[in-house]
Amino acid sequence: MENVHMLESALAGDLLTSDAGMTHLVTLADQFGGRAAGSSDEAEAGAYIVETLLTLAGSPPLVRQFRYAGWQRGDAELAVVAPVERALPSIGLPGSPAADLEAALLSIGRGEQEDVDALAADIPGKIVLCAAEGPRPNGQPPSHRRVKYLRAAGLGAVGFLYAGQNPGMLAVTGGLAGTGAAPIPGFGVSLEIGALLERLLARGAVTLKLRAEHGHESVTSSNVAVDIPGREEETILIGAHYDGHDIAQAATDNGSGTAVLLELVRALAPWRGRMQRSVRCCFWGSEEAGLLGSWHYARTAGAALDPVVWVLNLDSVVNGPPGRLRLRVWPPDAQDTVAPALNTRSLPVDVVGGLTSDSDHFPFAATGIPVIAAGAAGPGSGLVGRGWGHTIADTVDKVDPVALAFAAATAGRVLVRLSESTPAPSRLSDQALEAALDAAGRLAASRRWQELQFG
Ligand SMILES: [Zn+2]
C-alpha cells in the first residue's frame, strides 16, 4: 500500500508530459476518418490499435471478431412539400431503412413518455419531430435517442426526425438499430431546421416528403484487449470504443477515449506485476451501432469476466474543463464504496450516481458488474448534450492537446486508486439487479441483448 502515492504520481507525471496521445488521435481521425461501425475504416483503425499494442504492451493483444448485419448509407432526401416547398439539409440516421413516403409532420417535443402520452392519438401515420438531448424538467434521466425513436414507432409514427440542440446547422446523427434494420426511416436535422419546422407547424399543417436508399449487408467488427497483470487476479476492466460516425472524424467521440486508453497501456506496461489488481484494456468496435462490441464481449466472455471487480469506461473525455472527468458510478452501493478514495481535493473528478445506457459500460452493468462511466465533466463553449459529438464538427481541432494529456492523467490516477486502495464492491444479481436497473430507469434497455443478432 505504501507505493500508492509513488505509483499515482509517476503515472500522472508520465501521462501529463507525453504527446503520444495526440499523435494517436490525429492518426485515428485523419488516417481512418470517422471509423463508422462495421466499415473498412473501422477495421483499419482496429489493425492500427493491434499494431500499437504489440509495441506498447510487449504481448499480442486478444482480438475477438463478431459479425452482424451492418448499415450502408445511401442517398437520402428530406423536403417540405406544404405549406411551402423546400429541401431540408438532413442526414440519414444509421440503421434507418429505405423509404419513400409523404406524410404530415407532428412535433413530439423531447419525445419523452410524458410528451408522447398526451399525443398518442395523433401520432399514427405522422412523421414526428423530436428534440435530441436536453434536460428533462422532472429531473428523470433523459431517454436515449433509440428509446424515443422506438416509442414513436411503437405508437404508429411513419418517420422520425431528430433535431440537434446546438447551433451551427449541425445535423445530429446516432444509431437507431443494433443489428439489422430499424422499423421506420430516421433523419437527423439541425437545431435551425428543427426550429423552422416548429415555426411552420405553428402556422398550420405541414407535409413532408422523405426518401432514403439505405441498405444492410453482413459486416465484421472486432474488440481488441490486452492484459496488464497485477499482483492479484482481481481485475479492473477499462474500455473505450474506437469506432465513430461516417459524417466526421469522430475526434472527441471517441478518438479521445481511444487515445487516452492507448496512453494508459504505454504508461502502465512498466508496472506489470507491481499494481495490486490486474488491468484489462479493451478497445470496443461498433459502439455507435448499439454498443455491439461491448454487448458481445459481456455476453460471450464467460469465466473471463469472473475476476472483474470494476468496469471503467472512457467515452468523450476532452470537451470540458481540461482533465476534469465526470465519473458516473453504479450501482449506489458501489458509489459508496469508491467515493472516499476518489474524493480528494487534488483529483479533478465529479463523482455522481445514476446509470446511462449510452456507452459501453452499460452491457456490464446489465450483468450486475459495478461500472464507472467516465466522460468530460460537461461540454465546454456553452454546448448541450454531446456537444460537437455526433455532428460533422467532431473534428481534431476541437481537441485541446493539453486537455487530452490531462484527461489521461486523471484516468490513470483513478485507475491506480481503483487498483490499490478500494475494497471490491459487490456485484448484483437476480432480483436485486433487476430492482436496481428498474430504479435507474434502464430495465428495458438491459434486455436489449436479446434482440441483437450476431453471426
Ligand atoms: Zn461515444
Side-chain angles (χ1 to χ4, degrees):
M1 285 297 268
E2 68 265 59
N3 74 347
V4 175
H5 180 69
M6 188 188 80
L7 174 56
E8 185 175 327
S9 56
L11 200 60
D14 179 347
L15 291 162
L16 270 180
T17 51
S18 166
D19 289 337
M22 201 63 195
T23 304
H24 291 308
L25 186 137
V26 169
T27 304
L28 287 165
D30 291 357
Q31 193 81 12
F32 311 117
R35 314 177 300 283
S39 69
S40 57
D41 284 348
E42 186 200 49
E44 284 173 31
Y48 169 78
I49 289 167
V50 168
E51 211 174 287
T52 306
L53 292 177
L54 253 176
T55 314
L56 295 179
S59 59
L62 193 71
V63 180
R64 223 184 254 235
Q65 289 192 335
F66 51 93
R67 291 188 74 75
Y68 64 96
W71 185 71
Q72 313 293 315
R73 182 183 294 284
D75 283 347
E77 286 178 299
L78 176 69
V80 188
V81 292
V84 293
E85 282 191 48
R86 188 167 308 160
L88 301 175
S90 65
I91 48 171
L93 294 177
S96 175
D100 190 357
L101 61 91
E102 211 173 278
L105 176 68
L106 177 73
S107 170
I108 57 168
R110 288 176 310 276
E112 296 291 357
Q113 193 65 52
E114 60 269 20
D115 301 314
V116 299
D117 277 349
L119 298 166
D122 297 329
I123 290 176
K126 302 280 176 24
I127 295 169
V128 297
L129 170 65
C130 168
E133 308 141 322
R136 203 167 163 183
N138 61 12
Q140 292 277 305
S143 297
H144 190 269
R145 157 194 353 98
R146 195 176 294 107
V147 173
K148 297 180 180 186
Y149 166 81
L150 290 174
R151 194 178 272 148
L155 287 166
V158 297
F160 179 79
L161 308 186
Y162 196 54
Q165 300 298 290
N166 291 304
M169 287 300 279
L170 299 171
V172 65
T173 191
L176 297 178
T179 52
I184 60 172
F187 284 76
V189 297
S190 63
L191 172 75
E192 292 84 351
I193 294 300
L196 164 67
L197 291 173
E198 295 281 5
R199 289 197 301 277
L200 291 176
L201 278 171
R203 284 163 50 186
V206 176
T207 306
L208 299 183
K209 183 172 133 99
L210 59 84
R211 190 183 61 77
E213 294 174 357
H214 315 301
H216 283 77
E217 66 179 37
S218 183
V219 297
T220 301
S221 182
S222 302
N223 295 325
V224 182
V226 71
D227 282 326
I228 298 170
R231 299 193 303 276
E232 293 176 6
E233 208 197 341
E234 276 191 352
T235 297
I236 319 291
L237 189 159
I238 178 166
H241 73 87
Y242 65 90
D243 67 308
H245 283 288
D246 59 345
I247 59 167
Q249 298 164 6
T252 67
D253 183 9
N254 186 32
S256 65
T258 308
V260 163
L261 190 50
L262 286 169
E263 271 291 82
L264 289 175
V265 173
R266 180 192 61 73
L268 286 171
W271 297 89
R272 178 182 293 264
R274 293 166 69 183
M275 290 177 75
Q276 184 180 326
R277 292 189 172 123
S278 301
V279 178
R280 185 176 307 155
C281 302
C282 295
F283 298 81
W284 309 119
S286 294
E287 187 266 357
E288 299 290 4
L291 320 182
L292 299 186
S294 51
W295 270 121
H296 190 267
Y297 185 93
R299 296 292 168 150
T300 61
L305 279 180
D306 290 349
V308 174
V309 294
W310 283 108
V311 168
L312 173 61
N313 186 57
L314 305 172
D315 197 347
S316 307
V317 292
V318 285
N319 38 358
R324 188 157 202 100
L325 296 180
R326 179 193 296 118
L327 305 178
R328 194 177 289 283
V329 187
W330 186 90
D333 282 355
Q335 189 184 346
D336 295 342
T337 303
V338 78
L342 298 179
N343 286 337
T344 56
R345 270 178 266 178
S346 74
L347 187 67
V349 296
D350 300 330
V351 179
V352 299
L355 177 65
T356 61
S357 57
D358 61 356
S359 192
D360 295 307
H361 56 284
F362 186 69
F364 299 94
T367 65
I369 301 176
V371 297
I372 302 178
S381 320
L383 302 176
V384 302
R386 285 182 167 81
W388 306 117
H390 288 213
T391 77
I392 199 168
D394 186 4
T395 50
V396 168
D397 49 285
K398 307 302 187 305
V399 179
D400 173 4
V402 174
L404 190 69
F406 271 73
T410 305
R413 294 178 64 190
V414 169
L415 194 60
V416 169
R417 294 181 189 207
L418 293 178
S419 163
E420 309 297 311
S421 48
T422 60
S426 41
R427 287 193 184 196
L428 294 175
S429 59
D430 305 320
Q431 282 170 351
L433 173 58
E434 199 163 301
L437 289 166
D438 196 25
R442 305 294 172 188
L443 189 56
S446 74
R447 295 180 174 144
R448 197 165 154 65
W449 163 253
Q450 293 152 17
E451 298 153 25
L452 300 177
Q453 292 186 346
F454 294 98

